[in-house]
Amino acid sequence: MLIAIAAHLVVAAVLPVVARYRGRAVFAVAALVPAATLVLVLTRAGGVLDGRPVTESLAWAPAIGLEFTVRLDALSLLMIVLVSGVGALVLAYYVTYAKGEHGAGREATVLLVFAGAMLGLVVADDVLSFYVFWELTTVCSFLLVGGDGATRALRRSATQALLVTTFGGLAMLLGLILLGDAAGTFRISEIVADPPSGAVVNVAVLLILLGAFTKSAQVPFHPWLPAAMVAPTPVSAYLHAAAMVKAGVYLVARFAPAFAALPAWWVPVVVVGLCSMVLGGVQAMRQHDLKELLAFGTISQLGFLIVLVGVGTHTAAVAGAAMVLAHGLFKSALFLSAGVIDKRAGTRDIRQLSGLGRRWPLLAVLVTLAAASMAGVPPLLGYVGKEAALEAFAHGSVRDVLILIGLVLGSLFTVAYSLRFVLGAFGTKRGVDPVEARRPEWGFTTPVLLPVAASLGFGLAVGWVGKVASGYAEAYPAGPEPYHLALWHGVSLPLLLSALVLGGGYLIYARFPGWDRQLLPTTLDAQLGYRAVVSALDRTAHGVTGRVQTGSLPAYLGIILVTVIVLPSAGLFAGVVWPAGMGWWDSWLQLPLAAAVLAAAVTVPLARRRLTAVLLTGMVGYGIGGLFVVYGGVDLALAQFLVESLSLVIFVLVLRRLPPSFTHGRKPDPSRRWLKGAVAVCGGLFVALVAVLFSTVRERPLEASREYIARAMPEAGAHNVVNAILVDFRALDTVGEITVLLVTATGVASLGLAAHTRRRRHVPEAEGESQQEEDIRA
């Protein structure tokens, strides 16, 4: 798995060169990588489905326990089938779609990087790697949606997707950190196997769900997904139907076995999922653009999936796994068909499309089958998964009955907008001239045919899908007769509900055509809410900047100090106990040096002349250097003395061009002086307390420190560990510091020479000599 992830990134790096010589054939080259990954994973599927997950690790900082760990289990296997399988199809489809377009190298590169990031995301077993891949998918989505950024719509949509998903990603990261800290491990499989409990865990799961809801475009964060439909259709088919939006569903599915019993988990999952399912279906009925119709349908279907994988029952988990695969297959096929229509007919508006079914019978049949799977028509996989979903809530508690009602209502709209898509795209309409368009070539139809064929095949023979679904559902307790996927379970309540849904969905489509008017109040428009939030943030930023960026250096320093004091102080000092038995000094030489440093520091604010303040500040620095000598850090003391000497020289040269007094004829404001003094004192006390607490709370040396001590003598021949670190172990860092000092010395010399040159140009020779002598005496 590690090699497969690396292969995506390595091949992506050379794709721009391939595109320069082979043009759009670069997409075919890129498609080989996810196709090979799919084959590799399927060869290991047998052991995974038998309950033997595959785990690989790459330690990149073993001394402190940092490693990149991947784990292939049933859920990861299911997601890789979508990520790599649909990814290969989309890249192959792009060969025909991109004909005559520029930027093939860029699109292929970013798509392949995205495929690698999604692969890493679904197999990552440590929190840090998971978050890195999570945000990498966000960055790739921004680049793919924004394209070349030539239009305002592209830039606005890409920015909205980036802001919403990044906000959710940061919330998720905080939740994962809290969860890992409570569990005592940051391995996801270990957290799920032995979940922690407590109030912190409730907060953590809410933050994790927030990340999942934003990524999967759930209410009220959903508007970014329809806005992202400005992206090319293959991008929409991959990112916004089969892969990226599934990341949120995967996150819920991964952690649900551990936390589904918590009200903080299942209540948001059920409420948000059902609201998204129903509202997405209602909004889909109002769309005339095929891609926007599919986008709102995706929001609805993702809400359905969130509920199934999040409620935490065995049957619901089986249904959720089946529907995740079914959704990826039928929705990718529908998006790709919308791209065919757009390319060949020149429009995606269903009000202008007519007669395509007679002109393109093969594509019409394929789209009908894909939409039938989405609506839950047998014998397709969508029906198998939807019947399992109805079975999961058909015989349970009051909660289950309420969920069942919500699923049935949402499914009615699913059938309705499925009919709207098929008949709107391929039906013959009165008063609309038939569209004149040539038949799409095999490069367009084959990528649509394969997922439709897979959906039909998996529906007729659900054995492999059933094994994968049951493998994931093993994390939940099953009844005496656990549910298994099958095309026919006999006459039952789920079968009757399926028939009711199909009939009721048709009636909604046929009898209630008035969907063009606004059905929801404006106050519930999430897109307006997003714009209001962004505008409020802009106004707040302008207001804060206008009051903070005043051009006053003391004000800047004061704001920084206040921020440092206020924000982290509560977290730093919470639960910290003052160390017992700590002495006030270790050597009597520290006392006079500390007294001199304190006296100089207290006197600096009282100084009226700049040179006096500079000299007192230098005294503080030299006193700190003396304390380094007392502690035995001679090398640190030498560096401190050198820096202080250079600083004094620079200050003196600069002060010659400034007025000698701070006030310069202005009367100081006593209230401001006291305010500045209070901020300075609080800042100093805060830093001192943090230094003392942090230096005494450590009970034993860090692992890195022990390694330095152990390696100093045998590898560097040094008794002084600090010297060995500076000269041998971190030599490049030391060279960089020396370079900085040389640049600083060069700047000081240049400043002095420039000042001397200016004086020689503007001062007569005799006066210049006397001035020079005076400068030397000074």
Side-chain angles (χ1 to χ4, degrees), residues 609-611 654-664:
R609 300 180 67 84
R610 299 180 190 272
L611 184 59
V654 172
L655 291 179
R656 296 179 63 190
R657 314 298 298 178
L658 297 174
S661 175
F662 282 111
T663 57
H664 194 54

Side-chain angles (χ1 to χ4, degrees), residues 13 61 86 103 153 258 283 285 294 485 506 557 589 603 628 648:
V86 176
Q283 291 296 324
M285 293 298 296
L294 291 177
L485 294 176
Y506 173 77
L557 294 175
L589 291 175
T603 309
F628 288 155
L648 283 176

Side-chain angles (χ1 to χ4, degrees), residues 553-566 605 671-687:
L553 181 59
Y556 295 162
L557 294 175
I559 292 169
I560 293 173
L561 287 175
V562 170
T563 304
V564 170
I565 295 169
V566 173
S671 61
R672 290 188 177 182
R673 291 178 66 115
W674 282 108
L675 178 61
K676 295 176 183 177
V679 172
V681 169
C682 292
L685 290 175
F686 175 81
V687 173

Side-chain angles (χ1 to χ4, degrees), residues 48-51 74 257 314 317-318 467-478:
V48 172
L49 296 180
D50 290 337
H314 183 275
V318 171
K467 289 183 179 180
V468 176
S470 298
Y472 165 65
E474 287 179 355
Y476 301 97

Side-chain angles (χ1 to χ4, degrees), residues 52-357:
R52 300 191 304 272
V54 179
T55 302
E56 300 175 4
S57 296
L58 177 64
W60 53 279
I64 55 178
L66 294 179
E67 59 183 7
F68 173 36
T69 305
V70 298
R71 187 172 186 268
L72 179 63
D73 57 8
L75 180 59
S76 299
L77 176 64
L78 177 66
M79 293 300 299
I80 292 174
V81 170
L82 290 179
V83 170
S84 298
V86 176
L89 287 177
V90 168
L91 287 167
Y93 174 91
Y94 227 139
V95 176
T96 306
Y97 185 88
K99 186 180 297 184
E101 296 185 1
H102 300 289
R106 177 189 181 277
E107 294 292 316
T109 299
V110 180
L111 271 174
L112 191 57
V113 171
F114 174 82
M118 277 300 303
L119 176 62
L121 187 150
V122 298
V123 299
D125 195 37
D126 62 283
V127 168
L128 179 60
S129 301
F130 181 85
Y131 176 72
V132 169
F133 287 121
W134 181 281
E135 292 301 344
L136 187 56
T137 62
T138 298
V139 174
C140 291
S141 173
F142 172 77
L143 296 175
L144 290 168
V145 172
D148 57 3
T151 65
R152 184 179 180 183
L154 289 172
R155 297 191 297 271
R156 182 174 59 246
S157 299
T159 301
Q160 181 173 355
L162 180 68
L163 290 177
V164 175
T165 54
T166 301
F167 163 73
L170 292 174
M172 180 201 69
L173 175 61
L174 178 57
L176 291 175
I177 292 174
L178 292 175
L179 194 60
D181 183 67
T185 177
F186 287 93
R187 289 282 293 270
I188 296 176
S189 58
E190 295 176 358
I191 294 175
V192 174
D194 186 16
S197 59
V200 174
V201 174
N202 290 329
V203 175
V205 298
L206 287 174
L207 293 172
I208 291 173
L209 288 177
L210 181 59
F213 293 157
T214 55
K215 200 77 164 182
S216 290
Q218 296 297 281
V219 173
F221 309 104
H222 64 282
W224 73 264
L225 183 57
M229 292 300 107
V230 296
T233 301
V235 172
S236 300
Y238 192 29
L239 274 69
H240 306 138
M244 177 180 169
V245 292
K246 289 291 199 316
V249 176
Y250 170 79
L251 180 63
V252 174
R254 177 59 70 193
F255 285 96
F259 304 106
L262 296 177
W265 177 275
W266 69 262
V267 172
V269 163
V270 170
V271 173
V272 173
L274 291 179
C275 288
S276 299
M277 187 179 184
V278 175
L279 293 179
V282 171
Q283 291 296 324
M285 293 298 296
R286 300 183 61 247
Q287 308 307 313
H288 301 291
D289 186 286
L290 290 177
K291 284 183 65 177
E292 292 186 359
L293 188 157
L294 291 177
F296 281 102
T298 300
I299 294 170
S300 177
Q301 291 291 309
L302 291 174
F304 185 24
L305 296 178
I306 288 285
V307 173
L308 293 180
V309 300
V311 294
T313 64
H314 183 275
T315 305
V318 171
M323 284 304 302
V324 165
L325 180 59
H327 178 265
L329 294 175
F330 65 66
K331 194 56 68 72
S332 61
L334 292 174
F335 265 108
L336 294 179
S337 65
V340 177
I341 296 171
D342 189 19
K343 277 288 187 178
R344 290 291 174 260
T347 181
R348 299 193 305 260
D349 194 330
I350 61 177
R351 295 169 296 187
Q352 301 175 13
L353 293 171
S354 180
L356 279 182

Side-chain angles (χ1 to χ4, degrees), residues 737-757:
E737 294 175 356
I738 294 173
T739 304
V740 171
L741 292 176
L742 289 175
V743 171
T744 305
T746 303
V748 173
S750 301
L751 186 61
L753 292 175
H756 179 70
T757 303

